[in-house]
Amino acid sequence: MADPNTNASRLGTFQCHFTWELEEKFTRDFKTAMDYIDHHLKHNPDEMRVPAMAVKAYIYASNLQGNDTPMKYRTAKDAITEALKRNKDDSEEDPTNDGYNGYKVVLLADLAWLHHKTRGRNVETCITEVEELQASLSEEAQAYMQAMKAFTFQWFGISKYTEGISCYEEALRVVPSNVEWFFGYTQLLQKTSYSDPQDTYGTSKVESNLRCFISKTPKNGLAHVYLADELLQKGKDSHLEAEYEVGQALESGGENVVVLQRAGKVFCSLKKYDKALELYDRALELESESSFTLKLVGDAHRFQYFDKPTAERDEGDKQHLENAIKYYRRAYEADKSNFRAHSQMASLYSELGQQDEAEEVYSQLIETRDKENKAEAFYHFAEFRDDLALYKEAVDTDVDSYGGKRAAKKIIEKMQSELTRNPNREAFETLGWVYNKTGFIDSACFHYQQAYKMEPRKELELRLSQRYVESVNPDQACKYLELIKDSNPEEYRLLKGKLHLSLGVEFKDQGMTDKAREQFSLSTEYKSLEGCEKLAELLQNYTDDEKYDKRWITDWAKITSVLQNEWDLVEKCQDKVKESRLNALEEIREKAFMPKVRYLHDLYDKYVELLLKPGVDKHGNVLIEARSVLDRVVSEFQKSRFSELKDKKTRYTFFYIKDPKKGVKKDEKYVYMQLQKRLEGDYEWNGFRGKFPDLFDALIKVQPAYDFTENKKMIFLFKIANKYKHRERLKDGMQEVKIDGEKYNFSFEELTEWSVSKVIKLVQCFDKHM
């Protein structure tokens, strides 16, 4: 069986949706993301069809909030298979275009990842196919890969737009005639700040690109309406031309819902609301329950009301607000995730003086699952009520969102105003809290200290400890950590580990390796998993001469102890918590170094080497530590995944020995005796007749995990060692076998000597010291 860690590292080199970090800083939930891509597939069926299908497949497999798709990986696999079929059809229609192989590589890489996540049998085959295809990709096919990546980034938030633009530019450098990519590139430019004037005539890059695109595809209604929108940004002098472009868009795409929606928005910008409403009505004839179109109708009515100066409004104008509320309600009923429509309802109820209705809607809004929308809902609700607690909820929900930032600013204004009138502990503490949330740690510490001077509280001691650890201020951090040591020992442990970890990172960045190691080592004493990772990275880079000192051995012992402790804690967790912590631990183990079992047996091997070196007696605690580690190896093997390396008929050890005369299986005692006979020299087991050495017993049981690097030989042993006829065939020469498709030549004697060599070494060194 292929090593899963090897597969993971190979998969990590692929260009595909699972390696593009799409969910980083992405705030939409599963339903919203899926609705957007479904809308694209429905209304733009021929625009980047295969990349769009791939995005949908990834969304099925994603960890986006609200994704409760049954058997999500199976559903994603089916969607990838459909995309591969569509890509094959497209390539057969255009056999001279080698670019479709670029799409194929990304899709197959996605499929390989899905097989890996589900531990599918085809993962190795799929990975190999991707690697072979990648090795022979043409420049055109690589451009198609870049274009698929660029298209994908369009759907995963503003943080990906800049990289998406770069990918489109790289793809268009190779295939400049691809109009789909050119249009996608222009759309991304329009979404960013790239639309600033570029020439002496004030023509933006977006406008220039759109005009170029329209010259090649004059019947593309969306391009015309995008150009109209871009012209609006230039001011009143371009409004007439914008209206002309809308006319061209309607001539070309008057039956396309998206064109009608965008054309209506242009007319709203021109304050021609009757024309906008006429286009929205046409769109509703095509899709009567389109939540987005219904929301646009509500917007048009709302704009008409607020466009009039307050002094000129009369009772008749309120009809616009009532119409707006009616359409916003319909939009929300058509799609419960339409946050904007629902939010506008609350705002307009408040404008009409219907406070109870507004209160009810705001109470519903703050229950939304999307973090960014939830923060905005709390902010508007706080404005409606003038409620400090609701402002804090907005900041707590998503401090980096529009609602979170506005709420933070409001809290600071309120607290500073209060402090000028009446300095008090609560105001200082609130300012400390909000400055901490917004990332101004020094200001947070200052205000927390002011609050602490007024009223020393345990909660403030904890917060000051956290802030000084976060800002890597060891003197102040230790001062407040001592204050919480007895009252909050768990938080004390976590913060001490984090402080030493941060100091270690600083020393490492400065090239002070010894000091970094010291700090990382200290962090492991406080059970910091990340500290284990950093310490292991340093230890693995040490030379052989540097390794055999007491600190090196002790540091490895600390690492294994922390990992074992964490695993034991996870085992005791409830199912839901256990699953999430197991996933986190697996991620650390895969990212940081090797699987846990391999760490343990590698560490044990190092103890053995150390004990065999001359002058080792000066390390008095090494023997005890080594025995402890071996116990962990045995324990870990009993619950590890490495049982799959064992033959199904094998229960105790990795092979049985048969009595040639009787032809029956023997127990472990017989196995030991046979192994003893193979030992070189006249060596006798110490205490063999009374009780077998614990060490020897443990090693036999844990052999498959212990010698992980030689697992091919072990698999061979599993296959032949319990079959007498195979041993006979091996007497006079080498036997060739196939393991995982690779050929190996071993003799039975060679394998047996290899398997007991560890035993000889261990028993010799331990009997020497016992």
Side-chain angles (χ1 to χ4, degrees), residues 536-602:
E537 288 174 0
L538 287 182
L539 295 178
Q540 287 174 337
N541 292 327
Y542 274 50
T543 65
D544 287 341
D545 291 338
E546 294 171 318
K547 287 177 181 177
Y548 297 108
D549 63 75
K550 185 177 178 180
R551 284 194 312 151
W552 189 85
I553 293 290
T554 305
D555 282 346
W556 273 111
K558 288 178 181 178
I559 292 169
T560 56
S561 176
V562 173
L563 288 173
Q564 181 66 43
N565 179 72
E566 178 67 16
W567 191 268
D568 291 343
L569 288 174
V570 170
E571 288 294 310
K572 295 175 184 176
C573 289
Q574 297 178 358
D575 289 344
K576 288 185 179 179
V577 179
K578 179 177 177 179
E579 182 180 353
S580 63
R581 292 191 68 178
L582 277 171
N583 290 338
L585 190 57
E586 279 292 328
E587 185 178 340
I588 291 170
R589 286 157 62 172
E590 282 194 21
K591 173 186 173 186
F593 15 77
M594 310 168 228
K596 185 177 177 184
V597 170
R598 185 167 182 181
Y599 259 117
L600 291 169
H601 79 67
D602 276 3

Side-chain angles (χ1 to χ4, degrees), residues 405-473:
K405 289 177 180 177
R406 294 293 297 271
K409 183 178 179 182
K410 198 78 173 186
I411 292 170
I412 291 170
E413 290 174 357
K414 281 179 170 291
M415 293 303 98
Q416 287 178 340
S417 175
E418 183 172 341
L419 286 173
T420 57
R421 299 192 308 271
N422 175 34
N424 61 86
R425 192 262 309 163
E426 290 85 356
F428 278 119
E429 191 170 344
T430 301
L431 278 171
W433 176 85
V434 75
Y435 279 125
N436 174 57
K437 284 288 185 179
T438 51
F440 296 97
I441 305 300
D442 290 341
S443 295
C445 290
F446 170 79
H447 287 92
Y448 277 140
Q449 281 184 329
Q450 297 303 310
Y452 189 72
K453 287 176 183 177
M454 288 186 162
E455 184 183 341
R457 297 167 64 232
K458 288 295 180 185
E459 185 179 350
L460 284 170
E461 291 171 356
L462 174 60
R463 288 184 177 180
L464 282 163
S465 300
Q466 292 168 333
R467 299 296 74 77
Y468 282 122
V469 166
E470 191 174 341
S471 61
V472 198
N473 185 332

Side-chain angles (χ1 to χ4, degrees), residues 363-381:
S363 299
Q364 294 168 356
L365 283 166
I366 61 175
E367 297 301 321
T368 184
R369 291 188 298 184
D370 183 272
K371 280 176 60 179
E372 190 172 345
N373 289 341
K374 193 183 189 79
E376 186 175 339
F378 271 120
Y379 168 69
H380 288 305
F381 200 5

Side-chain angles (χ1 to χ4, degrees), residues 170-287:
E170 181 61 26
L172 288 166
R173 181 186 63 78
V174 180
V175 190
S177 60
N178 193 305
V179 292
E180 280 188 345
W181 303 352
F182 192 78
F183 190 42
Y185 172 57
T186 303
Q187 286 176 298
L188 269 184
L189 287 176
Q190 196 169 38
K191 290 178 179 180
T192 65
S193 59
Y194 282 69
S195 56
D196 293 332
Q198 298 292 314
D199 59 27
T200 54
Y201 301 101
T203 303
S204 68
K205 191 172 183 180
V206 172
E207 181 186 343
S208 176
N209 283 353
L210 284 167
R211 291 188 186 279
C212 178
F213 181 77
I214 289 169
S215 69
K216 297 176 182 178
T217 57
K219 296 298 183 182
N220 190 307
L222 271 177
H224 284 288
V225 82
Y226 274 124
L227 179 56
D229 189 52
E230 187 65 22
L231 290 168
L232 288 177
Q233 313 307 316
K234 297 176 71 173
K236 291 185 178 180
D237 292 343
S238 299
H239 284 186
L240 191 61
E241 188 180 359
E243 194 166 349
Y244 168 79
E245 290 298 335
V246 170
Q248 294 297 304
L250 294 172
E251 269 187 39
S252 306
E255 298 304 312
N256 184 304
V257 171
V258 179
V259 170
L260 291 170
Q261 290 169 341
R262 289 190 169 274
K265 289 180 75 174
V266 171
F267 279 126
C268 277
S269 297
L270 295 170
K271 302 187 185 300
K272 296 187 176 183
Y273 300 113
D274 291 341
K275 286 189 176 183
L277 289 168
E278 181 185 334
L279 294 177
Y280 294 151
D281 286 342
R282 285 168 59 183
L284 287 172
E285 288 173 7
L286 296 171
E287 288 186 9

